[in-house]
Amino acid sequence: MMTLRQVEVIRAVMVTGTIGGAAKLLNVSAPGISRLVKYTERSLGIRFFQRQNGRYFPTPEAENIFEQINGVYKKVDDLSEIISKIGRGGLSELRIGSVPSISQVMVPRAIERVRRRYPDLGIDINILKLEEAIDYLLLGRGECVAMSYRLEHSGLDFLPLASGELYCIVPPGHELAGRKQVSAAEITRYPLIGIDPNDPYGRIMAGIFSRNRLDYNITIRARFGTTVCALVKAGLGIAVIDQFTVAHGGYPGIELLKITEPTRFDTYIAVKRGAPLSLHVEYFIESLRAEMRAVEPSRGNGRAAPARGRKK
């Protein structure tokens, strides 16, 4: 039997014609190459080369062996190429979902990290509502979904992502514009734009009013936080929004006011219970968690993430 190392050395001598050339090709010492060639010939009882004037020529009886060696080496090259592709993310696809509030700013920043590590990885991102997220995971359409709430489901597990806070957003020139903070009671005095309170995401926004037993009226309802921001920017009212939707200046043209009452909420990654996670999705979760925790109130002084340079 020949080892892969012996195959590599014999082929290097065959290709270069000299011990010195083979040593340079393999980046090792010439005496080591010479010893291994002699040992291989002796142990197999086959003479691979004829030595003439310092050059090595294949012997007639070794021609068939060299054909097989080239075939083995080609297979090793193919294996190395496949391993390299896998290491760069080739031959694989990252399939992830997210609720809109996290997909606006946080998911793209996490995907940028994933792309740097796995430049050839195929990526498929879906923006999902709650009922869509359940089927998305249980039917194996994707591996994880970033969510701003959790639910009880026997087929799903929820992994912690980060905690966030709510902010009041107002258009420039509004009475509240320029203020550092505002109370929940003050917010209810103005026309409100918001999400349906019966929606899981909408309940997070409405929670500050129900906890403080405040009456409020949503004059315009929208399905997604990005739409709410656009309506506020258009001067149609003010709103309560989660910090991840507007993090890092993700929605310019509105002003953010801290709410005096506690508004902390938690976010999660939902995965199918018992399903193994790929290395790529594990790194995506790690990256998303890092991006979101970097703007957590305790880490970001409670500010909703002004634009900043990314750490490389």
Side-chain angles (χ1 to χ4, degrees), residues 71-216:
V72 170
Y73 205 81
K74 177 63 166 60
K75 292 295 184 182
V76 172
D77 276 348
D78 291 345
L79 176 61
S80 297
E81 183 178 357
I82 289 175
I83 291 173
S84 176
K85 285 182 178 179
I86 291 174
R88 294 172 56 84
L91 311 180
S92 300
E93 184 177 51
L94 173 69
R95 292 175 294 123
I96 58 102
S98 174
V99 295
S101 59
I102 299 176
S103 69
Q104 173 75 5
V105 177
M106 295 290 108
V107 167
R109 293 176 70 89
I111 289 296
E112 193 273 337
R113 291 190 182 209
V114 173
R115 175 60 80 208
R116 273 190 277 129
R117 173 169 287 196
Y118 302 109
D120 297 334
L121 179 66
I123 299 174
D124 182 74
I125 304 171
N126 283 270
I127 312 304
L128 305 170
K129 295 185 286 188
L130 173 63
E131 57 273 18
E132 296 171 330
I134 295 173
D135 286 348
Y136 181 76
L137 293 171
L138 295 184
L139 297 178
R141 295 170 183 158
E143 290 191 77
C144 72
V145 178
M147 303 184 71
S148 52
Y149 38 80
R150 63 172 298 163
L151 55 102
E152 295 302 323
H153 195 290
S154 60
L156 302 179
D157 285 326
F158 287 82
L159 314 176
L161 263 180
S163 296
E165 285 187 340
L166 304 179
Y167 281 80
C168 176
I169 56 173
V170 302
H174 191 273
E175 284 183 35
L176 297 176
R179 289 180 53 173
K180 296 293 184 182
Q181 60 183 21
V182 64
S183 70
E186 289 177 292
I187 294 173
T188 61
R189 298 171 189 167
Y190 299 91
L192 283 175
I193 300 168
I195 312 294
D196 186 341
N198 296 315
D199 179 275
Y201 177 64
R203 281 199 294 271
I204 296 175
M205 310 300 116
I208 62 165
F209 304 123
S210 59
R211 285 193 300 270
N212 292 281
R213 299 180 181 179
L214 294 169
D215 293 328
Y216 65 99

Side-chain angles (χ1 to χ4, degrees), residues 234-293:
L236 297 172
I238 68 173
V240 175
I241 201 75
D242 73 284
Q243 72 176 93
F244 300 118
T245 296
V246 293
H248 299 290
Y251 210 100
I254 56 176
E255 295 191 21
L256 278 59
L257 284 67
K258 185 174 177 61
I259 300 173
T260 54
E261 290 84 358
T263 61
R264 200 175 184 91
F265 67 97
D266 296 318
T267 60
Y268 305 90
I269 280 284
V271 297
K272 185 177 181 180
R273 182 166 294 172
L277 299 179
S278 68
L279 288 175
H280 306 121
V281 83
E282 285 184 349
Y283 186 67
F284 166 73
I285 294 172
E286 175 188 329
S287 300
L288 182 60
R289 184 177 289 127
E291 287 291 345
M292 294 179 69
R293 290 188 174 180

Side-chain angles (χ1 to χ4, degrees), residues 37-48 61 65:
V37 169
K38 291 177 181 178
Y39 169 78
T40 303
E41 289 181 325
R42 186 170 62 252
S43 62
L44 297 179
I46 299 172
R47 187 177 60 160
F48 288 100
E61 57 267 29
I65 295 176

Side-chain angles (χ1 to χ4, degrees), residues 48-68:
F48 288 100
F49 301 102
Q50 292 177 336
R51 288 79 165 174
Q52 296 179 7
N53 300 321
R55 295 193 64 82
Y56 283 61
F57 299 93
T59 61
E61 57 267 29
E63 289 292 345
N64 289 334
I65 295 176
F66 286 140
E67 287 183 18
Q68 296 300 317

Side-chain angles (χ1 to χ4, degrees), residues 7-18 22 25 37 48-49 55-58 62-63 65-67 69-70 73:
V7 168
E8 184 180 40
V9 167
I10 296 299
R11 182 179 181 278
V13 175
M14 178 185 69
V15 169
T16 62
T18 66
L25 183 65
V37 169
F48 288 100
F49 301 102
R55 295 193 64 82
Y56 283 61
F57 299 93
E63 289 292 345
I65 295 176
F66 286 140
E67 287 183 18
I69 285 177
N70 280 330
Y73 205 81

